[in-house]
Structure formats: C-alpha cells, structure tokens
Amino acid sequence: MKYYSTKDKACARAFSLREAVQAGLAPDGGLFVPERIPQADMAVAERLAGESYAALAGYLAELFFGDDIDPGLLRREMERIYDFPLPLRRVGSRYTLELFHGPTFAFKDYGAGFMGRMIGLMGGAGEKLVILTATSGDTGSAVAHGFYGVPGVEVVLLYPEGKISRLQECQMTTLGGNIHPLRVAGTFDDCQRLVKGLFADAKFRAGHRVSSANSINLLRWIPQAFYYFYGYCLWRQQTGGGRPVVVVPSGNYGNLSAGMLARRMGLPLGGFVAASNRNDVVPEFLRSGEYRPRPSVRTPANAMDVGAPSNFERMLWLCGGEPDALRDELEGFRCDDAMIRRTIDGLHRNYGYLSDPHSAIGYAASVACGKPGFYLSTAHPAKFGEVISPVTGAAVPLPPRLARLACLPRVSEPMAADLGALEQFVAGI
C-alpha cells in the first residue's frame, strides 16, 4: 500500500508506510491518505467480531498494513493492545459505544496504542525519532502510554496550560522516561499551530527526525475506523436493525473521518452526526456551506475545544473534494455549555448514568437526531469529576489506576507559544 497527500490531486508522489508515518504531515502540508480504500468482507467481519475486538481489528489492520507488517504478527499484537472491553450500552432510549475502558480511559487508546506498537515493530532506522503531539486533553495521555518505553523514540507533548482536567494532566506528567510534557501558554489551537509550524520548517526537519502522533498521522487515524465495525456488529446483535446513524462527539475530527473511512470500506452505516460544543466550525459549515476556522473558545468539554480542525481536509478527500457530498453525509449539532451540564445532570438523575461532558454532547445529539443508531462515549467520567460533581452533586469514583496517578508528582516544562522555543527544546532532547 502506498500513501499520497490530500493536496496531491494528481497522485504524483507516492510514499511508503514508513515514510508517511515518520513524516506525519506530507511535505506539501497535506494529510496522508491511502492509495486505495480496501473493502472488508462483512460476513468475515461479523464472524470475527463475535470472537473478540482484537480478532476483528487484526483482520481490518491486515487489509491496510499486511504488505508492510507480517499479518501473523499484526494479529498477535492486536491481542496485546486491545485486552480491554468495548461494550455497547443502552442509556434511556439510546445506545452508546463506550470507548473509554482502555489504559488511559479515553477513545484515543485505540489509535495511540496501535501506533506506538506499530512504530516499535517497524523499528527505528538508526537515529532516534521524536514524536511531537499537540493535545486538548486525552490524546496526550494516550500517546504517552502508547509510546512509553518504546526504544529509540522520544515523545514531546504540548498541552494548553490550565485548560485540561487535573487527571488528564496527571496522565501526561507523571511518567518521566522518554515522555516530555510541555505546558503551553495558550490554547490547543496554539499547540497545534506550533506542531504544524515545526513540520513546515524544512531546514529544521532536515536535521531532526520528527513525526506526529496526532490524528494527522495515518497510523493514528486508520485504526480508529475499526471500532465502528465492532459497534455496528454489537448494535445489529442487540437490536436487529440495519444502517445505524453514528453520533460522534468531535473536535479535531479524526474520529469522525475514521468513521467515514469505515463506511467506504463497506460498513453499512446510515450516516453521521457531527456533535460539537460551542466550537462549531463543522456544524456551521453543514448549515451554511461556509467553512470558517477561528480561535477556539473554552468549554466544559475541553478535548473538543478546537477552532481549526485538521481532519476536515481528510473528510473532504473522502467525499472526492465535493463539499456538497460531505454535507449530504453528515448532520451537525451544537451543544452550548448549559446544555452540556443539563445533559450530564439528566443522565445521572434519570438513569443513574455518569457521563463525561464530551459523551454527554453525543447523547444530546443522539436524542435530537432521533434516528436509530448509537453515539460514541469517548472518555471515562472519572477524568472530569470537576465538571460532573458540581452538576450532579455526586462524587465520581476513581478507578484505582487513576487514583494512584493523582498522588504522583507532576513534572512538565513551561513554554511560550513560540516556534523557536519549541524547536530549541526538540533539538535539545
């Protein structure tokens, strides 16, 4: 399988998997996409889903990466990566696929864990590789866990100071070793701008081997398509229905574009709802036809506080570059801060269900949509106790692993939102 930039309309320059993964962002500033989208056999997918998520993921991963990584090794690694449950639960009249039962209690474990393991399998090529990642909350902890201790890899995490939850910060800043957290004086958009600025600096990159573990990296993005297949199989099993609509709480849109990829692999979904907080750049586009990136605003759903979503470019690519085709495939939903809190309270009061703010947006959008299907729950409520407890009046129990982290000292470096400072730090690792 070869990979091309979304900006390379003529497919003039092909990249190998290794080249695309290590570059992160294409040299022309585009995002890498596969030369073709492989088709899944749904009968095989449903049979393997009945065995385990790892068995299904191994089959789907082989469709993309089987020419580059031994398929038997791929399947064995899936068993190691995905050794946690992935349940579809009923909440009131709706269904939710709970993606937060992994090692860092967020959906990012599916992509970051996969990428960390695959980078390890592909090996270094001599000199060390620096993985550079901007995070609005959950990506950083998942990447830190996925790459912790991988030989030849150093991880630099940029997060907006004071704009993520305490436990999210603990998960990034208590590991040490090859994990280097930077608390940036600014927003997530500033963090993302710094990462893209470094990748665009050809002179700096000529002397330093750097890549990204954000969802701009195809090795983070593609495996997120796999749990859509599993959710579909569970939903079919529990309801007997067909062509579900999937509601996706969205910030940088790697998750939703992965669902669109799954649909083009042959998964019979009825469409998607892009559920946003007040940072509603994509829902606004779906309403008006005008795409207007802008500075993000802070909300209780901090991991979705993104004003210039990187993966919008992949979404357009999946629609053949036709904005109207994208608008036909997606519905948009905007949830303000008051609605987030009302939804968290209502879920707890009516069903005894604790929901993190991002997943609460998914529930609210699912109810508003009213179509058969399910919404994605993207993070464990324990990571957002400071939002949930004042609303519900209930303490949010901490899983033992999170409780232990909360007691450890946090270590991070302060940094101005300045590209020169970031490049100096990366060069000094």
Side-chain angles (χ1 to χ4, degrees), residues 344-361:
I344 291 170
D345 181 47
L347 285 169
H348 180 255
R349 188 162 26 84
N350 296 326
Y351 309 117
Y353 187 80
L354 287 172
S355 174
D356 86 281
H358 312 82
S359 306
I361 292 172

Side-chain angles (χ1 to χ4, degrees), residues 1-6 8 11-21 31-38 63-68 218 221-222 317:
M1 180 79 79
K2 298 296 184 182
Y3 299 88
Y4 294 90
S5 168
T6 49
D8 184 3
C11 296
R13 183 180 179 186
F15 294 78
S16 69
L17 176 64
R18 180 186 291 273
E19 288 170 335
V21 168
L31 305 186
F32 285 111
V33 289
E35 62 180 335
R36 59 181 174 82
I37 297 177
L63 297 179
F64 285 97
F65 309 118
D67 292 338
D68 296 280
L218 65 90
W221 172 57
I222 289 175
W317 175 82

Side-chain angles (χ1 to χ4, degrees), residues 151-398:
V153 176
E154 301 290 332
V155 179
V156 177
L157 304 171
L158 289 77
Y159 67 94
E161 184 172 14
K163 295 180 176 65
I164 67 173
S165 79
R166 182 176 64 90
L167 283 173
Q168 285 174 321
E169 188 172 23
C170 285
Q171 289 182 303
M172 287 184 277
T173 59
T174 56
L175 289 170
N178 65 326
I179 308 301
H180 309 277
L182 302 177
R183 57 184 195 275
V184 175
T187 66
F188 168 75
D189 294 327
D190 293 317
C191 298
Q192 186 164 255
R193 175 178 54 78
L194 291 176
V195 170
K196 288 185 174 181
L198 185 144
F199 284 130
D201 187 339
K203 182 179 178 182
F204 181 85
R205 294 196 67 187
H208 303 85
R209 235 172 123 234
V210 294
S211 185
S212 171
N214 283 89
S215 55
I216 61 173
N217 196 301
L218 65 90
L219 213 52
R220 256 283 314 278
W221 172 57
I222 289 175
Q224 292 183 145
F226 304 164
Y227 51 69
Y228 285 86
F229 281 85
Y230 194 69
Y232 167 85
C233 293
L234 292 179
W235 190 79
R236 286 264 298 152
Q237 179 185 358
Q238 292 188 29
T239 70
R243 300 186 64 80
V245 171
V246 184
V247 176
V248 187
S250 300
N252 214 19
Y253 284 84
N255 199 358
L256 198 152
S257 61
M260 294 173 63
L261 176 66
R263 197 181 192 197
R264 283 151 181 80
M265 292 171 66
L267 184 62
L269 299 178
F272 303 92
V273 178
S276 81
N277 55 22
R278 288 190 291 132
N279 298 283
D280 63 340
V281 172
V282 171
E284 179 186 76
F285 160 78
L286 297 173
R287 290 191 305 271
S288 68
E290 185 178 359
Y291 182 64
R292 295 190 309 116
R294 51 188 177 270
S296 62
V297 295
R298 188 176 181 182
T299 77
N302 67 275
M304 292 159 54
D305 292 350
V306 181
S310 293
N311 283 284
F312 187 75
E313 193 164 326
R314 276 200 181 110
M315 294 160 70
L316 280 177
W317 175 82
L318 288 162
C319 291
E322 296 292 337
D324 287 344
L326 179 57
R327 294 174 70 195
D328 288 341
E329 185 166 359
L330 309 182
E331 296 179 41
F333 180 84
R334 179 186 189 273
C335 195
D336 64 24
D337 295 2
M339 182 182 287
I340 293 173
R341 294 187 172 94
R342 284 198 307 271
T343 304
I344 291 170
D345 181 47
L347 285 169
H348 180 255
R349 188 162 26 84
N350 296 326
Y351 309 117
Y353 187 80
L354 287 172
S355 174
D356 86 281
H358 312 82
S359 306
I361 292 172
Y363 175 83
S366 183
V367 171
C369 168
K371 295 177 181 177
F374 54 92
Y375 70 96
L376 303 184
S377 283
T378 55
H380 196 289
K383 299 179 78 170
F384 298 92
E386 62 264 49
V387 176
I388 297 169
S389 291
V391 171
T392 63
V396 184
L398 282 182

